[in-house]
């Protein structure tokens, strides 16, 4: 089961009262339902590949509107293609759409009624319904953090975006073919959305994966930093050894103090040592206490003297 399917399964398991159920039904219908007119009158159908969502919608319709929807399975004969589950409403279809504010005397509305999202729990239920209808989340173990919900209606996408902003979820909208896609990229905000939907088990799994990934990325950055520092140290040591070789080849051209000679000897003995390690070795060999800045100054002095000899030779 995919991570998205697991999240949707957990949302469907959450109990809903009549108001929450109405908000979810509204979102599901606005996102994905179809209306039909024939000799029997108006009907509404909702089609999904997720059997849990179809069953959840079926039960909510019975709970809120006391109707008996038709639940059917459309078997896909293509190899590895999922079956489709269709929920169809014939009785009270127009009354249900009117109650949800989807179909009124002024036409079809793709923006949720204020009374359906006014309270906190109904607004959350509406967002849950939107995610059930068209949402997806990348598995945090295998991909970048990404949550999205799509619709063909621009007005509906903007409504979903504004509703998410109520919960400090900075959703953005992009166009993908005929769809308006509302999406989140930040891992912590996707976790907040899962928390909003009460998908606790999925939230724990997501946060665990996120913590492990962030820890691994941090360790990788630290390793890269250490490698870079090591390469920098080795490059600097190579130049210092080259300068020392120039000084030793031209003893008559420069006056080298005893302290500088101590540093030269230690650098030759420990070509890979860091600045702090050189300070410790100088103290161990000569009893000379030297700070890191003092060591840096003496090494720079060695390079300056070597440079002056090279200039004289040109």
């Amino acid at each position: 089961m995919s991570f998205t399917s697991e999240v949707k399964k957990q949302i469907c398991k959450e109990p809903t009262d009549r108001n929450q159920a109405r908000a979810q039904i509204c979102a599901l219908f606005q996102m994905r339902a179809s209306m039909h007119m024939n000799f029997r009158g108006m009907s509404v159908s909702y089609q999904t590949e997720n059997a849990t969502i179809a069953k959840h919608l079926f039960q909510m319709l019975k709970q809120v509107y006391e109707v008996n929807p038709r639940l059917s399975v459309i078997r896909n004969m293509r190899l590895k293609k999922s079956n489709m589950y269709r929920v169809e409403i014939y009785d009270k279809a127009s009354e249900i759409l009117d109650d949800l504010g989807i179909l009124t005397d002024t036409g079809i509305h793709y923006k949720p009624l204020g009374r359906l999202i006014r309270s906190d729990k109904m607004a959350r239920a509406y967002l849950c319904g939107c995610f059930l209808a068209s949402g997806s989340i990348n598995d945090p173990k295998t991909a970048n953090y990404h949550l999205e919900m799509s619709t063909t209606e621009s007005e509906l996408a903007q409504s979903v975006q504004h509703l998410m902003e109520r919960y400090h979820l900075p959703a953005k909208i992009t166009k993908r073919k005929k769809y308006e896609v509302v999406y989140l990229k930040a891992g912590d905000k996707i976790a907040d959305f899962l928390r909003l939907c009460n998908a606790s088990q999925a939230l724990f799994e997501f946060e665990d994966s996120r913590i492990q990934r962030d820890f691994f990325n941090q360790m990788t950055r630290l390793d890269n930093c250490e490698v870079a520092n090591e390469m920098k140290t080795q490059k600097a040591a190579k130049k210092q050894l080259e300068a020392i070789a120039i000084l030793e080849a031209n003893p008559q051209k420069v006056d080298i103090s005893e302290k500088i000679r101590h540093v030269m000897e230690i650098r030759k003995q420990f070509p890979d040592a860091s600045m702090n390690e050189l300070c410790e070795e100088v103290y161990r060999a000569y009893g000379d206490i030297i700070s890191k800045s003092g060591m840096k100054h003496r090494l720079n002095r060695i390079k300056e003297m070597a440079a002056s000899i090279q200039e004289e030779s040109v």
Side-chain angles (χ1 to χ4, degrees):
M1 181 181 292
S2 69
F3 186 73
T4 296
S5 297
E6 183 60 37
V7 173
K8 292 183 177 182
K9 182 179 179 180
Q10 291 177 36
I11 292 174
C12 291
K13 284 183 178 180
E14 282 294 304
T16 57
D17 60 26
R18 290 177 64 87
N19 288 331
Q20 288 172 303
R22 286 174 71 231
Q24 272 196 31
I25 293 169
C26 180
L28 286 161
F29 279 5
Q30 286 181 323
M31 282 283 192
R32 283 289 184 270
S34 301
M35 290 184 292
H36 310 276
M37 290 292 296
N38 56 29
F39 67 94
R40 298 174 62 179
M42 177 178 289
S43 65
V44 179
S45 67
Y46 183 89
Q47 193 164 289
T48 177
E49 293 182 0
N50 191 311
T52 303
I53 295 174
K55 181 181 178 182
H56 180 59
L57 176 59
F58 182 90
Q59 293 173 337
M60 289 193 297
L61 287 167
K62 289 178 68 71
Q63 171 193 359
V64 178
Y65 296 108
E66 299 179 355
V67 293
N68 290 302
R70 177 185 296 176
L71 180 59
S72 56
V73 181
I74 304 171
R75 299 200 176 277
N76 200 319
M77 303 308 293
R78 288 176 142 187
L79 188 64
K80 295 183 179 180
K81 294 291 183 178
S82 302
N83 292 330
M84 299 298 295
Y85 302 88
R86 179 181 292 167
V87 180
E88 297 173 290
I89 309 165
Y90 293 97
D91 300 331
K92 301 183 181 179
S94 59
E95 290 89 336
I96 292 172
L97 293 176
D98 179 66
D99 180 63
L100 297 174
I102 296 174
L103 182 63
T104 67
D105 294 337
T106 58
I108 300 175
H109 296 270
Y110 293 100
K111 187 176 181 179
L113 292 176
R115 59 184 170 82
L116 285 179
I117 56 173
R118 184 174 296 116
S119 71
D120 178 67
K121 67 178 183 179
M122 291 178 73
R124 289 168 179 258
Y126 185 87
L127 286 175
C128 287
C130 291
F131 185 79
L132 290 176
S134 65
S136 67
I137 302 180
N138 285 356
D139 191 324
K141 295 178 183 177
T142 59
N144 294 326
Y145 305 125
H146 184 85
L147 177 149
E148 68 175 46
M149 294 173 279
S150 60
T151 175
T152 55
E153 303 300 325
S154 177
E155 183 181 18
L156 180 54
Q158 291 174 15
S159 296
V160 174
Q161 180 190 35
H162 294 156
L163 192 55
M164 292 178 74
E165 288 174 349
R166 182 194 297 186
Y167 295 99
H168 307 289
L169 300 172
K172 296 182 180 180
I173 298 177
T174 187
K175 186 82 173 178
R176 187 185 300 154
K177 295 183 179 180
K178 65 177 182 179
Y179 292 102
E180 300 282 337
V181 181
V182 184
Y183 68 93
L184 286 172
K185 286 278 188 188
D188 57 335
K189 296 303 178 182
I190 294 175
D192 289 342
F193 184 87
L194 293 174
R195 193 174 292 109
L196 177 149
C197 294
N198 290 325
S200 301
Q201 186 176 342
L203 173 62
F204 292 148
E205 182 181 345
F206 183 86
E207 287 288 58
D208 183 59
S209 297
R210 190 163 74 94
I211 290 169
Q212 290 186 35
R213 173 186 286 181
D214 291 348
F215 176 76
F216 175 78
N217 289 342
Q218 181 67 17
M219 290 301 295
T220 301
R221 284 193 292 270
L222 288 173
D223 287 344
N224 291 340
C225 184
E226 288 180 5
V227 169
N229 287 337
E230 183 66 24
M231 291 179 66
K232 185 177 178 181
T233 298
Q234 290 180 2
K235 187 176 179 180
K238 182 181 178 182
K239 290 183 177 180
Q240 292 158 10
L241 290 169
E242 289 173 353
I244 291 170
I246 293 171
L247 295 181
E248 291 180 337
N250 299 275
Q252 74 285 356
K253 293 184 178 181
V254 66
D255 183 22
I256 303 175
S257 68
E258 185 180 20
K259 290 184 177 181
I260 295 292
R261 290 188 183 280
H262 291 168
V263 171
M264 290 168 60
E265 288 299 321
I266 293 299
R267 172 48 89 191
K268 287 192 297 181
Q269 293 177 37
F270 303 96
D272 297 326
S274 66
M275 202 77 71
N276 286 330
E277 289 168 342
L278 288 176
C279 294
E280 293 175 2
E281 294 300 332
V282 166
Y283 176 73
R284 187 176 290 113
Y286 304 105
D288 185 7
I289 299 175
I290 181 173
S291 65
K292 185 177 178 180
S293 61
M295 177 61 68
K296 185 177 180 180
H297 173 75
R298 293 185 193 182
L299 289 169
N300 286 337
R301 180 60 184 150
I302 291 171
K303 289 192 291 183
E304 288 171 2
M305 288 189 293
S308 66
I309 291 174
Q310 286 182 311
E311 289 177 1
E312 290 177 4
S313 301
V314 177

